[in-house]
Amino acid sequence: MYAAIDTETSGLYSRDGDVLLQFAMFVVDKKYEVLDDKGFECVFTFTPKQAEMVRARAIPYVQNMHDKTGLWDRLSTPSAVSYAEGDALAVEYLSKFSDQQLRILGNSITLDRNFLEGVMP
């Protein structure tokens, strides 16, 4: 089994202060068939002031992209979770499929992993 993952961030460089905003994944089998159509998704919580500051630091392309999707606004909603909560929820979700570590699939695995390692070990 594999975890097909994707992240949304405020930029490309976690070491330069860009942050993880959203994480999503689907679990697939060896034939790449999705095992749960709902998948897993969480948006991480920021105060309105923090979200405003993170948006202001982002390049215009990222600002516009997350403006269009509404992600900036979702960072301060009651459904947003802390990094620790997101980590626990992701582990709980993955445990439904396997008690073993799953391989990661995705379009930008290194970028995604760099952001995840810092906040969702």
Side-chain angles (χ1 to χ4, degrees), residues 42-102:
C42 62
V43 173
F44 297 105
T45 189
F46 293 82
T47 67
K49 182 108 175 138
Q50 289 171 325
E52 184 180 311
M53 289 171 39
V54 170
R55 185 187 180 284
R57 275 191 43 117
I59 64 171
Y61 178 84
V62 173
Q63 289 176 349
N64 292 332
M65 177 176 60
H66 296 327
D67 283 343
K68 288 179 185 176
T69 65
L71 182 55
W72 296 119
D73 295 329
R74 293 177 59 205
L75 300 176
S76 301
T77 62
S79 62
V81 298
S82 70
Y83 291 132
E85 290 170 316
D87 189 34
L89 290 169
V91 168
E92 180 183 327
Y93 178 77
L94 288 172
S95 70
K96 296 177 189 178
F97 301 96
S98 176
D99 60 353
Q100 298 178 4
Q101 202 170 33
L102 303 179

Side-chain angles (χ1 to χ4, degrees), residues 14-26:
S14 60
R15 67 182 176 274
D16 291 340
D18 293 326
V19 295
L20 181 62
L21 305 174
Q22 181 180 29
F23 172 68
M25 71 178 149
F26 287 95

